[in-house]
Amino acid sequence: MKRQFSKSRPVIWAFFSSVKLTVALLIILAMASVVGTLIPQTEGVAEFAKGLSPAVRKLFVFFDLFDVYHSLWFRILMGALTLNIVICSLDRFQGTWKRFTARPRPDREKPFQDIPGEQTFVIDSPPADMAERVHDYLAAKYRKMRAKEVGTEGYFYAERGGYSLFGVYLVHMSVLCILVGGLVGSFLGFEAYVNIVEGESVNTVVSRKERSPIELGFEVRCDNFTVDFYENGTPKEYRTEVTFSADGKRMKQEAIRVNHPAVFQGVTFYQSNYGTVPGNTVHLSISSQGGGPGARHMKVEPGKPYSLPGGEGTFSITDLRTNIMDIGPAAMVSVKPEHGQGIRFWVFKYQDRAKKILPGPMLNSPKFNASAFEPYTFTLAGLDTRYYTGLQANKDPGVPVVWIGFFLMVAGLFVTFFISHRRIWVKVSQQAQGLVVSVAGTSNKNPVGLQREVNTLTLSLKNLLQGDRQV
Amino acid sequence: MINSIILSYTTFIYFAAFFLYLLCMVMGRTGFGRLATLATLVGLIAQSLAIVLRWIESYQLGIGHAPFSNLYESLIFFTWTIIFLYMIVEWRTKNRTLGTFVTPLAFLAMAYASFSPGISSKIQPLVPALKSNWLISHVITCFFGYAAFGLSFALSIMYLLKQRDTPEKKNLFLRLIPEQSILDELNYQMIVIGFLMLTLGIITGSVWAHSAWGSYWSWDPKETWSLITWLIYASMIHSRMVRGWKGRKIAYLSFIGFCCVLFTYFGVNYLAGLHSYAK
Ligand code: HEM
């Protein structure tokens, strides 16, 4: 294509409008992305870095190789691609616009050079309204229909699919749209998480990057959490029922499942994980050796003091775990006798398992001896647990922009790949043997498709002009 | 599990098809070619039937879902798309030489799925993250993309082989391979279809990730490798506009591109995998 202003344009313009640069940038971006999948990013960085010599580690840190995709140089590459797209599009748009609006003369001879014999046929007694018929037929199927008579010869021109010339611009703009959407999200959005115990509410979430709290401006309450399992034990569904309230008013109730997030005031909540925390009731059983007051079951609330069976003092539960070191539930019992030193020790629900898992020295220390306060032996009979739900809480105002980009990209690719700009010329000339009709066509791509179209058109015109004989 | 039995037979049918396509090219007899097409068609029909049966069976087990959920099912579907796409190309171009280069891909994928000890052919229930309407559209678009790239890879091998063909050489096999310009054109068409499908695959995956995990892009290795593949094919599309970058260079790039596809599909599991649903 001729570029009228190429002389006056600076070198930098030529550089950024070149497709060679595009190929280079796309390949470099691909290679940089490979690097990012081979070197641990964020997770597992510490262990990996330990195995490197200090000099290499410094180099890695200098080039941000532990966070390639957010590094300055990666962003510069993306910026260069953006500039490349913008300048290339600006550079070429004028030419495309000219081609789109061009009105080629109908009486051109060049398209008819070297056309195969099948694209020409002879009608010995053409109908009188021959010209109108061809005209109407082409006008119905094509756009920008033009006709011209030169002496005994009639010329027709028509085209279609001109708009497909802009498909490429749509694709390129869609890339920009997606990049802009990503940028908007990274500046104006956040990624955070929050754990909510059943029955409780929160109004802040914790940012994943900075690990700092973010005020939501509204409250989320976890009304209920359930998890279902298949027969083979794999999880089937997690479900959290939440209530959103703002300014003390309940605004919205919704169930969050995996793949079914809930949105409230621009923040989207996703089911992410779950767990249990101890509830408010601990079932303890206390027995005593050697003629004490006998075994006794007690339901106790953590933190509250209770009298020992023989009145020697009080005890309370000062720590509770639903699962400690894979042993199962455990409670810390703190005993405060009337006289003498207080004592604290862990009591397990599965004492036998604790004996297997805990190392010897630990077992022998009073901290793990359930009979440390004589004459009593404490046993943890049971523990009420409550679920907490782990929610991912994200805000990303760039998402709609990215979605638009996706749509434009798919639409643009369809138009670019599957629709071509086809131009058709038809020439009719009165000659000795009758009316000679020739059909020619050009297309910017898909020559096979064009040939098929020209062949069909030739056949249709033949039928159209011969059809009169039966009348 | 009748479907698995049919599928392991299909493996042999595709092998037979490959053998017949090869015979057709070595001996130059179209009779073998017709038989090869017939075998491939029988394989495709049997495989389609097996996939549908598997789908029905999963509903009978009470865990109904489309059969695209684990490595076994995805390999089966990959084979299906590649054969399906090949059949269309054979029908449109009326040329069978590509079959010799494509059926081995299908046969190998099927054999890997059916006979590798590490791959379970059991119908498993879906974990919550996979329960999404996006699953079907994501898998179908991705695998049609992979299949088109697979055909492009086969065409590139043919292109490079054809280069060794000279009029003096009386090699029937090479002579039967179509002209380089035709191969190049067809190759580009495959890349274009593959690129469109991969784009759709990445987009559907992205939208799905957004609804399941809250982020449409998180640079996990599988996502990143699909982007790498996409970038390689995008560079291929543009390199045709740089003067002199047709034919051989495109064939080599298509080679690299298909390696990326394979790595996206299998290799990523050896990297730190966040995409594994097994967790
Ligand atoms: C990731 C980014 C890009 C994507 C996905 C992309 C995609 C495409 C596609 C699908 C085509 C159509 C090819 C065909 O007609 O068969 C195309 C053509 C083209 N692209 Fe890109 N492109 C990208 C970046 C760029 C950049 C940075 C430039 C800057 C020079 C560029 C310049 C061109 C040109 C000049 C054409 C040919 C247009 C024509 O046929 O008139 N592309 N691109």
Side-chain angles (χ1 to χ4, degrees):
Chain A
M1 205 194 302
K2 240 195 260 166
R3 304 232 175 88
Q4 292 154 327
F5 307 111
S6 57
K7 284 264 162 51
S8 61
R9 280 185 178 167
V11 180
I12 190 102
W13 184 278
F15 179 73
F16 276 112
S17 64
S18 115
V19 184
K20 261 187 201 154
L21 177 69
T22 312
V23 175
L25 280 175
L26 292 174
I27 291 178
I28 292 171
L29 273 170
M31 291 196 301
S33 304
V34 172
V35 171
T37 63
L38 298 181
I39 299 173
Q41 310 278 302
T42 59
E43 261 179 71
V45 167
E47 292 134 69
F48 182 81
K50 248 185 247 161
L52 301 172
S53 74
V56 176
R57 205 180 311 155
K58 247 190 206 153
L59 208 71
F60 270 52
V61 172
F62 183 76
F63 286 109
D64 258 336
L65 293 184
F66 295 123
D67 196 8
V68 170
Y69 309 116
H70 305 103
S71 67
L72 184 63
W73 60 270
F74 198 78
R75 293 198 164 150
I76 289 177
L77 283 175
M78 297 237 231
L81 187 71
T82 308
L83 207 59
N84 195 189
I85 292 177
V86 171
I87 298 209
C88 183
S89 300
L90 289 177
D91 196 53
R92 300 171 67 94
F93 192 79
Q94 207 185 15
T96 308
W97 184 253
K98 262 199 189 141
R99 259 200 298 164
F100 177 69
T101 50
R103 293 271 183 126
R105 286 194 354 252
D107 55 332
R108 280 180 65 191
E109 284 301 335
K110 191 150 168 281
F112 294 98
Q113 284 167 5
D114 312 318
I115 59 167
E118 308 92 77
Q119 289 174 216
T120 299
F121 58 90
V122 182
I123 307 277
D124 23 74
S125 53
D129 60 346
M130 176 275 301
E132 281 94 81
R133 284 194 193 191
V134 175
H135 188 288
D136 291 350
Y137 184 80
L138 288 177
K141 284 187 78 175
Y142 294 89
R143 305 171 66 104
K144 299 194 188 167
M145 165 75 214
R146 297 177 90 192
K148 191 169 181 181
E149 249 175 82
V150 182
T152 57
E153 300 190 325
Y155 291 89
F156 302 87
Y157 166 82
E159 65 171 65
R160 73 164 169 198
Y163 67 93
S164 71
L165 297 173
F166 299 108
V168 159
Y169 294 90
L170 221 54
V171 176
H172 293 148
M173 288 311 115
S174 74
V175 175
L176 296 189
C177 211
I178 292 166
L179 291 178
V180 167
L183 226 54
V184 167
S186 71
F187 282 115
L188 302 178
F190 60 77
E191 283 189 9
Y193 65 92
V194 64
N195 293 341
I196 318 176
V197 178
E198 271 182 310
E200 292 181 5
S201 308
V202 296
N203 52 17
T204 53
V205 291
V206 183
S207 145
R208 280 205 190 274
K209 226 191 306 172
E210 293 92 12
R211 312 240 160 237
S212 56
I214 299 171
E215 293 282 338
L216 287 174
F218 57 86
E219 258 189 14
V220 197
R221 185 187 135 95
C222 170
D223 299 328
N224 187 24
F225 174 82
T226 48
V227 50
D228 285 344
F229 295 92
Y230 290 107
E231 276 166 32
N232 68 2
T234 53
K236 184 176 180 183
E237 187 176 275
Y238 311 109
R239 184 186 172 93
T240 304
E241 278 161 35
V242 290
T243 305
F244 297 102
S245 27
D247 309 324
K249 263 188 301 201
R250 305 168 98 226
M251 309 283 281
K252 190 174 168 189
Q253 245 174 330
E254 206 163 332
I256 301 173
R257 288 174 292 146
V258 179
N259 277 314
H260 298 272
V263 188
F264 189 72
Q265 296 193 350
V267 184
T268 315
F269 292 85
Y270 304 85
Q271 186 66 54
S272 162
N273 59 339
Y274 74 100
T276 49
V277 290
N280 277 329
T281 316
V282 182
H283 300 264
L284 272 186
S285 116
I286 309 172
S287 59
S288 58
Q289 294 109 343
R296 165 189 294 205
H297 273 286
M298 289 181 81
K299 266 203 235 172
V300 299
E301 246 179 77
K304 276 198 186 165
Y306 293 87
S307 306
L308 283 164
E312 299 92 334
T314 60
F315 73 90
S316 59
I317 305 292
T318 48
D319 199 354
L320 263 182
R321 305 284 173 86
T322 53
N323 189 5
I324 192 166
M325 295 163 84
D326 257 353
I327 298 170
M332 178 171 273
V333 179
S334 300
V335 182
K336 262 213 194 107
E338 297 264 324
H339 311 287
Q341 196 84 55
I343 184 171
R344 302 193 305 171
F345 48 88
W346 283 103
V347 178
F348 299 98
K349 184 170 179 195
Y350 306 110
Q351 204 69 39
D352 295 343
R353 180 128 44 111
K355 284 205 178 105
K356 260 187 239 149
I357 290 178
L358 291 176
M362 252 174 139
L363 277 174
N364 292 334
S365 87
K367 255 195 107 173
F368 293 91
N369 183 359
S371 315
F373 187 78
E374 287 178 353
Y376 299 108
T377 300
F378 286 80
T379 322
L380 181 61
L383 186 64
D384 282 0
T385 56
R386 284 190 299 166
Y387 278 120
Y388 70 84
T389 182
L391 299 179
Q392 167 93 6
N394 289 358
K395 183 171 166 173
D396 189 346
V399 166
V401 184
V402 173
W403 276 195
I404 292 172
F406 284 170
F407 176 78
L408 291 182
M409 180 171 284
V410 174
L413 286 177
F414 258 103
V415 170
T416 311
F417 290 150
F418 300 126
I419 296 175
S420 44
H421 183 206
R422 290 178 182 169
R423 300 167 156 194
I424 302 287
W425 280 268
V426 177
K427 177 168 80 171
V428 292
S429 60
Q430 204 68 54
Q431 283 174 22
Q433 72 264 47
L435 187 74
V436 180
V437 182
S438 306
V439 182
T442 63
S443 172
N444 61 340
K445 60 192 152 222
N446 191 3
V448 182
L450 175 75
Q451 191 58 51
R452 215 176 293 137
E453 175 160 344
V454 168
N455 290 350
T456 326
L457 181 62
T458 312
L459 213 66
S460 309
L461 286 177
K462 202 168 172 180
N463 289 338
L464 189 75
L465 298 178
Q466 276 175 340
D468 223 37
R469 250 186 267 164
Q470 280 100 28
V471 177
Chain B
M1 299 251 274
I2 180 97
N3 67 74
S4 310
I5 298 167
I6 300 179
L7 288 169
S8 41
Y9 278 119
T10 318
T11 314
F12 295 108
I13 300 179
Y14 288 147
F15 183 73
F18 162 62
F19 194 65
L20 289 165
Y21 277 121
L22 189 64
L23 270 184
C24 167
M25 276 186 87
V26 174
M27 321 258 291
R29 297 241 193 90
T30 33
F32 287 122
R34 285 212 195 93
L35 273 179
T37 305
L38 186 70
T40 315
L41 204 59
V42 168
L44 186 65
I45 291 169
Q47 199 181 4
S48 315
L49 195 73
I51 291 175
V52 172
L53 282 177
R54 194 175 171 86
W55 202 328
I56 295 172
E57 205 168 301
S58 80
Y59 274 92
Q60 285 164 349
L61 289 174
I63 48 174
H65 59 78
F68 305 139
S69 67
N70 56 18
L71 185 57
Y72 177 78
E73 291 175 346
S74 78
L75 279 164
I76 300 302
F77 188 62
F78 175 56
T79 316
W80 187 88
T81 48
I82 206 164
I83 291 293
F84 180 79
L85 208 58
Y86 167 69
M87 279 289 146
I88 293 177
V89 172
E90 183 185 306
W91 172 60
R92 296 274 297 228
T93 59
K94 309 273 181 290
N95 188 299
R96 292 198 173 93
T97 46
L98 180 58
T100 316
F101 298 87
V102 169
T103 42
L105 286 179
F107 159 69
L108 286 175
M110 284 297 278
Y112 182 48
S114 300
F115 305 120
S116 165
I119 297 179
S120 160
S121 67
K122 263 177 67 178
I123 299 179
Q124 288 143 339
L126 286 184
V127 298
L130 286 181
K131 280 194 206 158
S132 166
N133 290 334
W134 291 104
L135 172 69
I136 295 183
S137 44
H138 178 58
V139 171
I140 289 180
T141 48
C142 282
F143 279 95
F144 266 103
Y146 292 176
F149 292 145
L151 292 198
S152 154
F153 169 75
L155 286 162
S156 300
I157 293 179
M158 289 168 78
Y159 186 94
L160 295 176
L161 278 177
K162 185 71 179 177
Q163 249 179 351
R164 301 167 166 266
D165 186 27
T166 50
E168 307 91 68
K169 248 193 226 170
K170 296 241 157 38
N171 188 327
L172 190 61
F173 185 88
L174 291 183
R175 186 137 45 84
L176 283 174
I177 297 179
E179 285 302 314
Q180 282 190 318
S181 60
I182 295 174
L183 291 175
D184 192 44
E185 187 57 37
L186 196 57
N187 197 351
Y188 188 64
Q189 279 181 21
M190 286 302 134
I191 289 172
V192 156
I193 292 173
F195 189 72
L196 176 66
M197 285 297 162
L198 182 63
T199 308
L200 279 168
I202 294 176
I203 288 177
T204 49
S206 226
V207 176
W208 180 12
H210 180 256
S211 77
W213 294 291
S215 163
Y216 56 85
W217 196 262
S218 45
W219 293 106
D220 102 351
K222 193 140 190 141
E223 269 174 8
T224 310
W225 270 93
S226 68
L227 179 71
I228 293 165
T229 310
W230 189 80
L231 288 169
I232 295 288
Y233 283 101
S235 73
M236 228 181 284
I237 284 173
H238 288 88
S239 61
R240 284 175 77 89
M241 276 160 261
V242 180
R243 208 172 315 143
W245 272 59
K246 268 203 163 186
R248 204 153 58 109
K249 289 213 177 80
I250 301 285
Y252 286 135
L253 271 177
S254 166
F255 230 78
I256 296 173
F258 194 60
C259 289
C260 287
V261 168
L262 291 182
F263 197 81
T264 310
Y265 192 2
F266 303 110
V268 166
N269 297 337
Y270 300 104
L271 298 173
L274 298 171
H275 214 85
S276 71
Y277 299 107
K279 280 201 304 183

